[in-house]
């Protein structure tokens, strides 16, 4: 006997149907509904979201779980209609972690190998070799957060020969080649970090974490790679640290306001590389599998 279809409502300001619609259609037993096309909202048991509006979940009194299409859930927990007491299931997509790792490696090389200067030299037709300093052993990488993303990033950088240290609140599962420190050793972690990669989740504890005090605790000339969430960065402190020469450069993929407003000073800053939140995107197949797995666990 065929299993009854499970109604999954899209609860988001983004057009998630365009991205995920066809993938759910191909999945027997799952029906994805656009919020404006749900005829019987009390039959909807599951919701899929990333950045829902404040009332996005209000129409569905019988939700059993909410699925995030992303690694983080910070965009969902701010919705005041999110039902309390039901699971909020985040995405763990190995493909997305590989994308993040590739992106982080690119950004590390960008800073380590002075790509911004090389590109400027090219525009002037200058053969600007700067011999020495190319060995990965010369750039110590510090990773804030060693979860699903941070671990894959660490692995990739270790494979390239970079010395990698992670900082987390509790001691993580050991990762070969990675030195682990916890909050008590934060000062030591920062003092030995030439390139800082932030992949800690957005929490009250990490809000405004990337500030003047943190930048000043890094060795002079360190670089920042910000892949976490925009609210973790104190923007004026970053510009100040770059202009003072305390930091040599920053790669920013996430911002307090996205899209980054046209007139924002980050766009034109010569030491900042701006990318539009593209470090890692969820594979639709993984989103569908996550929903399927979550439902099976709830039904078990
Ligand atoms: N830019 C992009 O395209 C993109 C894509 C995907 C994800 N992200 C960002 O990456 C974040 C991490 O994703 P994930 O899947 O790796 O999350 P995760 O698996 O939950 O891992 C989070 C890691 O951060 C650590 N952590 C938590 N609070 C911390 C703190 N205050 N200080 C230091 N470390 C802390 C955790 O360890 P402890 O709990 O022991 O501290 C854990 O190691 C997401 O929340 C999202 O913001 C960005």
């Amino acid at each position: 006997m065929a299993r009854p279809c499970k109604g999954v409502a899209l609860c988001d300001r983004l057009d998630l149907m365009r991205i995920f619609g066809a993938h759910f259609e191909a999945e027997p037993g799952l029906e994805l509904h656009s919020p404006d096309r749900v005829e019987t909202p009390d039959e909807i048991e599951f919701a899929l979201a990333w950045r829902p509006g404040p009332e996005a979940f209000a129409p569905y009194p019988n939700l059993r779980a909410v699925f995030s299409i992303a690694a983080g859930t910070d965009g969902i927990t701010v919705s005041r209609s999110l039902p309390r007491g039901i699971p909020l299931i985040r995405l763990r997509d190995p493909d997305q972690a590989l994308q993040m790792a590739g992106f982080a490696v690119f950004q590390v090389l960008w800073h380590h190998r002075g790509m911004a200067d090389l590109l400027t030299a090219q525009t002037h037709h200058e053969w600007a070799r700067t011999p020495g300093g190319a060995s990965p052993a010369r750039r110590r990488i510090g990773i804030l957060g060693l979860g699903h993303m941070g671990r894959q990033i660490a692995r990739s950088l270790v494979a390239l020969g970079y010395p990698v240290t992670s900082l987390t609140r509790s001691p993580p599962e050991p990762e070969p080649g990675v030195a682990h420190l916890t909050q008590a050793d934060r000062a030591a972690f920062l003092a030995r970090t030439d390139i800082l990669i932030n992949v800690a989740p957005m929490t009250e504890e990490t809000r405004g974490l990337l500030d003047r005090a943190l930048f000043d605790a890094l060795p002079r000339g360190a670089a920042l790679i910000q892949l976490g969430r925009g609210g973790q960065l104190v923007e004026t402190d970053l510009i100040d640290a770059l202009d003072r020469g305390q930091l040599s450069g920053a790669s920013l993929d996430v911002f307090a306001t996205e899209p980054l407003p046209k007139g924002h000073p980050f766009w034109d800053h010569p030491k900042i590389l701006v990318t539009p939140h593209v470090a890692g995107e969820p594979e639709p197949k993984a989103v569908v599998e996550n929903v399927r797995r979550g439902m099976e666990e709830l039904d078990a």
Side-chain angles (χ1 to χ4, degrees):
M1 198 172 73
R3 292 179 59 196
C5 277
K6 303 258 186 171
V8 183
L10 282 172
C11 297
D12 216 273
R13 287 180 275 213
L14 294 180
D15 184 6
L16 297 183
M17 187 56 100
R18 189 178 51 79
I19 307 167
F20 299 111
H23 296 270
F24 274 83
E25 227 167 73
E27 193 69 10
L30 293 184
E31 273 181 7
L32 192 63
H33 302 271
S34 277
D36 53 339
R37 301 245 172 109
V38 177
E39 284 169 14
T40 48
D42 50 344
E43 286 179 14
I44 294 290
E45 292 179 275
F46 304 97
L48 194 64
W50 186 45
R51 292 186 173 175
E55 300 304 331
F57 304 103
Y60 313 107
N62 297 318
L63 281 182
R64 292 172 61 203
V66 173
F67 294 91
S68 171
I69 62 148
T73 53
D74 48 290
I76 297 175
T77 49
V78 292
S79 173
R80 66 171 172 242
S81 62
L82 177 69
R84 309 293 151 187
I86 64 167
L88 171 53
I89 301 171
R90 44 169 292 191
L91 181 69
R92 279 182 175 274
D93 178 1
D95 187 277
Q96 189 184 22
L98 285 171
Q99 295 173 41
M100 288 285 280
F103 195 82
V105 165
F106 165 81
Q107 297 294 355
V108 164
L109 290 168
W110 176 269
H111 292 286
H112 175 199
R113 305 301 292 271
M115 285 307 299
D117 291 342
L118 292 175
L119 286 178
T120 305
Q122 183 181 350
T123 61
H124 298 299
H125 298 196
E126 278 170 13
W127 188 260
R129 292 192 76 240
T130 47
S135 166
R138 289 173 180 261
R139 282 294 187 290
R140 299 162 298 176
I141 313 293
I143 305 183
L144 268 173
L146 196 76
H148 195 54
M149 301 298 160
R151 196 170 282 277
Q152 189 60 54
I153 291 171
R155 238 169 243 167
S156 305
L157 290 166
V158 166
L160 290 175
Y162 285 96
V164 177
T165 304
S166 73
L167 186 84
T168 50
R169 290 169 305 172
S170 42
E173 284 289 307
E175 178 64 40
V178 178
H180 304 294
L181 294 176
T182 52
Q183 292 294 355
D185 298 312
R186 186 172 183 265
F189 167 80
L190 294 172
R192 66 194 259 186
T193 291
D194 299 314
I195 299 180
L196 179 68
I197 303 175
N198 176 43
V199 270
M202 180 71 194
T203 62
E204 274 320 302
E205 211 180 323
T206 64
R207 185 180 300 282
L209 170 83
L210 304 172
D211 65 358
R212 183 183 176 115
L214 180 141
F215 299 143
D216 285 356
L218 294 167
R220 190 167 173 81
L224 170 70
I225 299 172
Q226 158 63 327
L227 306 178
R229 285 288 181 265
Q232 295 167 323
L233 173 67
V234 180
E235 297 187 344
T236 48
D237 286 3
L238 174 66
I239 290 180
D240 172 64
L242 290 166
D243 292 349
R244 286 187 287 126
Q246 173 56 22
L247 292 188
S248 58
S251 299
L252 309 177
D253 187 53
V254 288
F255 303 90
T257 304
E258 293 183 6
L260 187 65
K262 290 258 183 229
H264 199 287
F266 284 168
W267 285 115
D268 292 320
H269 198 288
K271 294 181 178 173
I272 294 179
L273 185 59
V274 168
T275 51
H277 202 147
V278 292
E281 59 182 40
E283 270 295 298
K285 195 165 167 286
V287 171
V288 176
E289 274 167 17
N290 193 43
V291 170
R292 166 78 72 205
R293 197 178 324 112
M295 285 176 174
E296 282 171 4
E297 281 170 17
L298 284 165
D299 284 342

